[in-house]
Amino acid sequence: MELPHLDEGGAARMVDVSTKAASVRTATASGVLRTTEAVIELLTTGTLPKGDALATARIAGIMGAKRTPDLIPLCHPIVLSGVAVELHPERDGVRISATVRTTDRTGVEMEALTAVAVAGLALHDMVKAVDPAAVLDQVRVERKDGGKTGTWTRPE
Amino acid sequence: MELPHLDEGGAARMVDVSTKAASVRTATASGVLRTTEAVIELLTTGTLPKGDALATARIAGIMGAKRTPDLIPLCHPIVLSGVAVELHPERDGVRISATVRTTDRTGVEMEALTAVAVAGLALHDMVKAVDPAAVLDQVRVERKDGGKTGTWTRPE
Amino acid sequence: MELPHLDEGGAARMVDVSTKAASVRTATASGVLRTTEAVIELLTTGTLPKGDALATARIAGIMGAKRTPDLIPLCHPIVLSGVAVELHPERDGVRISATVRTTDRTGVEMEALTAVAVAGLALHDMVKAVDPAAVLDQVRVERKDGGKTGTWTRPE
Amino acid sequence: MELPHLDEGGAARMVDVSTKAASVRTATASGVLRTTEAVIELLTTGTLPKGDALATARIAGIMGAKRTPDLIPLCHPIVLSGVAVELHPERDGVRISATVRTTDRTGVEMEALTAVAVAGLALHDMVKAVDPAAVLDQVRVERKDGGKTGTWTRPE
Amino acid sequence: MELPHLDEGGAARMVDVSTKAASVRTATASGVLRTTEAVIELLTTGTLPKGDALATARIAGIMGAKRTPDLIPLCHPIVLSGVAVELHPERDGVRISATVRTTDRTGVEMEALTAVAVAGLALHDMVKAVDPAAVLDQVRVERKDGGKTGTWTRPE
Amino acid sequence: MELPHLDEGGAARMVDVSTKAASVRTATASGVLRTTEAVIELLTTGTLPKGDALATARIAGIMGAKRTPDLIPLCHPIVLSGVAVELHPERDGVRISATVRTTDRTGVEMEALTAVAVAGLALHDMVKAVDPAAVLDQVRVERKDGGKTGTWTRPE
């Protein structure tokens, strides 16, 4: 077992994917911003958005997916063919889910994870004046499809 | 209680801070990338880095702090006067801590949180080939100092 | 009369503002995205937003203001202390207004204009499938305050 | 008639284009920066550039086309295979035209519009000291070719 | 002989490459940061890195390659399929080499050169407090492969 | 003698400058793009620019200065109060000089060096079709003023 992003001398590199086939690849990641019930009430009327807060986080997540190669040093700059970010307010947190698709030579797990993290940070920013103790938690890949390794789903 | 980032009609805005005083403000955030013991061994020899992996994550975190206003829609573009990112490999995870300082008119909690999240995502990227189930957890503010609201420390 | 952005030989430069005083400066710009009544109905229920379209344009405008020095070659990178973008759906167009404030050494007319233009382009993007003939019009400064030249308001 | 950028619940998304064919697609957009005759004289000797002003705006437009996915929240990050920006000084304004080409899965109207808008804003920046009342007008698509919907030309 | 980036009127443009074939293309560039023996000792223990300095420069170079179309006005935004940056400390300098690969329609000499230059500037930044006279030298293409023009190697 | 960008454990950090005074600081850097006499003729008529090539490089350099904190991992994001880039065509090369000024808490040597390097790379890009062997050479600081360390000029 070894880390492909490090060469035999331990130096970081962007792994060459030029021999991999271009194909449709999809990844879904999720996470949750934990906050208080009172804050959830400020963000929503029941499960409906109240004002721009959820839209702001959704846009931040979609734009964050596009910034992945700028942020993650060894990620490939690739074309993205679709990004969707879902926000589900729950009793004491907002559940975040992002699905990203490409037709390129490498998977998009990092793009999906970055979308979730940036959407979560954007929520954090909006609620921090009223809940400085909010926590972004459980940012993780749920599923990936396509590419040579095929489908992976998170074990329960 | 209300969200200052939304105006009375619910529209998102970047809050005017022009009447706040420029002063030294510091924030520390933390988080953890949970992975397996076997992956921790690939990243380290004991607690020492093995190759560039930890340096890559540290640099990603520092650069991520600088990209905060590009990522978080309602964050102010400000000058930063210092950023430090610490990575502590533990038995089954890497603990991440970031401290950011400014001399500007607004706090730097978001910059510290973004540094932690981006460092964690960069680690995620490097380990995902060997541990697709890794999780970025507990991204949160630990402490902030300076500004009108003064010091806040996370309640235990 | 001469263009301060060009030196005596005609070469472009970022004008030195180091001897100007840091002070509060504000600028308001406006513009309009002209489209059809049918499209306005898709964007709104009366004057209320329907879905994320207006929030998306507002966020794009706010983030666009922050990208001004990346886009406009001779603009100074400065701190911004506040940005607000307003969108007013009218019968056959969406009126856009942006107000930007800084405490720095140079005015923020370009930041306000960029916010308007980017919000307008984001609307254009969302409506182009149903109205490819939409037009972004009348992008202009309405008013500026502060700095040595003081207040300027658009002549009627 | 509906807006494809919003899902059935009204949430913004980057539309999935993975099933569209990669093919050559071209778009041309135009606009005009209206200013005074005196300013046009500062920019040109007749129709010839005087100093770097027109080149600065042209470069800003070309680079702006490349920043489109960073600016427009729901635009796809794609490869561009060519960008040309033309500036035609007229009696009391500078006419701007941009043509963008891709070989990707989605059209490039937004890239052409962004090139025009950014070139126009860059001109605005250079003339604002001598004409604060300048206006960027008529930013619009003139023609698009390629893709499933084929050629569209602006109705006269 | 003419410069393809300028049209017949001398205007800068991003050359249309839509009729070129997508194929694997590689470029290698090199350069050297000249400094003092004492500084080389601070950076290394013999030829081994001491602390994060070399990793920081390597990451800067890899990320710099990805920023090439943002920096170089007439470069095409393309996908990159691999980037490697090597740093070889010598007696009184650090030799830098970068190899970049794409599967796109245009060569990657500029990406390789940018990786070398940015890695060199990052080293410059780290050593400037102890050697303000350091010099980045000999930034040049060593070899390119692929595309219609095929292989070019630097004449000795 | 030690490298301030590395802490006692060798970890990279953005050095805290919050206790340094904000003051006017200036830096000048230079470099040269070496090419052939024939290429110089394509770029100029004598020492006058022919078409947009020199303006393109100048704009690239000015914009590059603004991107310094995005490119150089440990550089502080600061406000810049002025940037000038000069290009002097000589017999077999183009000499590049950049002067950058700030009113912030840290020097601008890296901004001046980055402006020179990016202007040089932009020239490289424009001439590479006719001179693939061009070399960017002697990128170095010439002089800095201001700050606690005061004036430094390059020893002859």
Side-chain angles (χ1 to χ4, degrees), chain B residues 6-25:
Chain B
L6 303 185
D7 69 15
E8 60 282 4
R13 60 179 171 186
M14 187 196 292
V15 178
D16 181 17
V17 296
S18 61
T19 60
K20 295 171 74 174
S23 66
V24 177
R25 297 156 195 265

Side-chain angles (χ1 to χ4, degrees), chain C:
Chain C
M1 192 166 77
E2 57 184 20
L3 300 179
H5 290 69
L6 303 185
D7 70 16
E8 61 282 3
R13 59 180 172 185
M14 187 195 292
V15 177
D16 182 18
V17 295
S18 61
T19 59
K20 295 172 74 173
S23 66
V24 177
R25 296 156 195 265
T26 309
T28 299
S30 70
V32 61
L33 186 82
R34 301 194 192 288
T35 178
T36 65
E37 284 186 57
V39 168
I40 296 296
E41 275 177 38
L42 289 175
L43 294 172
T44 60
T45 305
T47 59
L48 293 175
K50 193 159 73 185
D52 285 354
L54 296 187
T56 299
R58 188 157 39 230
I59 296 302
I62 292 170
M63 296 182 85
K66 295 193 267 187
R67 308 305 294 272
T68 304
D70 277 355
L71 294 172
I72 309 303
L74 307 177
C75 266
H76 297 81
I78 58 171
V79 300
L80 300 183
S81 50
V83 181
V85 173
E86 293 181 22
L87 298 166
H88 298 289
E90 299 181 345
R91 200 178 51 85
D92 56 359
V94 179
R95 190 152 289 279
I96 307 161
S97 172
T99 297
V100 179
R101 186 163 292 177
T102 188
T103 55
D104 219 313
R105 283 177 167 74
T106 180
V108 283
E109 298 98 303
M110 289 316 303
E111 282 75 6
L113 287 164
T114 303
V116 168
V118 174
L121 291 171
L123 284 172
H124 217 308
D125 180 42
M126 287 183 281
V127 309
K128 71 178 191 296
V130 293
D131 180 16
V135 178
L136 176 61
D137 241 356
Q138 295 181 343
V139 177
R140 62 192 198 187
V141 179
E142 294 294 342
R143 180 189 174 97
K144 64 182 284 287
D145 295 284
K148 207 176 68 180
T149 55
T151 296
W152 178 88
T153 49
R154 189 169 197 83
E156 309 230 350

Side-chain angles (χ1 to χ4, degrees), chain F residues 32-116:
Chain F
V32 61
L33 185 82
R34 300 195 193 288
T35 180
T36 66
E37 284 186 59
V39 169
I40 296 295
E41 274 176 41
L42 288 175
L43 294 171
T44 59
T45 305
T47 60
L48 292 176
K50 194 159 71 185
D52 286 354
L54 297 187
T56 300
R58 188 156 41 230
I59 296 302
I62 293 171
M63 296 183 85
K66 295 193 267 187
R67 309 305 293 273
T68 305
D70 277 355
L71 293 173
I72 309 302
L74 307 177
C75 266
H76 298 80
I78 58 172
V79 299
L80 300 183
S81 49
V83 181
V85 174
E86 293 181 22
L87 298 166
H88 298 289
E90 300 181 343
R91 200 177 52 85
D92 56 0
V94 179
R95 190 152 289 280
I96 307 161
S97 172
T99 297
V100 179
R101 185 162 293 176
T102 188
T103 54
D104 219 312
R105 284 176 168 75
T106 181
V108 284
E109 298 97 303
M110 290 316 303
E111 282 75 6
L113 288 164
T114 302
V116 168

Side-chain angles (χ1 to χ4, degrees), chain A residues 95-114:
Chain A
R95 190 152 287 282
I96 307 161
S97 172
T99 297
V100 179
R101 185 163 293 175
T102 188
T103 54
D104 219 311
R105 284 176 167 75
T106 181
V108 282
E109 298 98 305
M110 290 315 303
E111 281 76 6
L113 287 164
T114 302

Side-chain angles (χ1 to χ4, degrees), chain B residues 22-38:
Chain B
S23 66
V24 177
R25 297 156 195 265
T26 309
T28 299
S30 70
V32 61
L33 186 82
R34 302 195 193 286
T35 179
T36 66
E37 284 186 60

Side-chain angles (χ1 to χ4, degrees), chain B residues 49 52 54-56 58-60 63 67, chain E residues 49 52 54-56 58-60 63 67:
Chain B
D52 285 353
L54 297 187
T56 300
R58 188 156 41 230
I59 296 302
M63 296 182 85
R67 309 304 294 272
Chain E
D52 285 355
L54 297 187
T56 300
R58 188 156 41 232
I59 295 303
M63 296 182 86
R67 308 304 293 274

Side-chain angles (χ1 to χ4, degrees), chain D residues 39-100:
Chain D
V39 169
I40 296 296
E41 274 177 40
L42 289 176
L43 294 171
T44 60
T45 305
T47 61
L48 292 176
K50 195 159 70 184
D52 285 354
L54 297 187
T56 299
R58 188 155 43 230
I59 296 303
I62 293 170
M63 296 183 85
K66 295 193 267 188
R67 308 306 293 274
T68 304
D70 277 356
L71 294 173
I72 309 301
L74 308 177
C75 266
H76 298 81
I78 59 172
V79 300
L80 300 183
S81 50
V83 180
V85 173
E86 293 181 21
L87 298 166
H88 297 290
E90 300 181 344
R91 201 177 52 85
D92 55 1
V94 179
R95 190 152 288 281
I96 308 161
S97 171
T99 297
V100 180

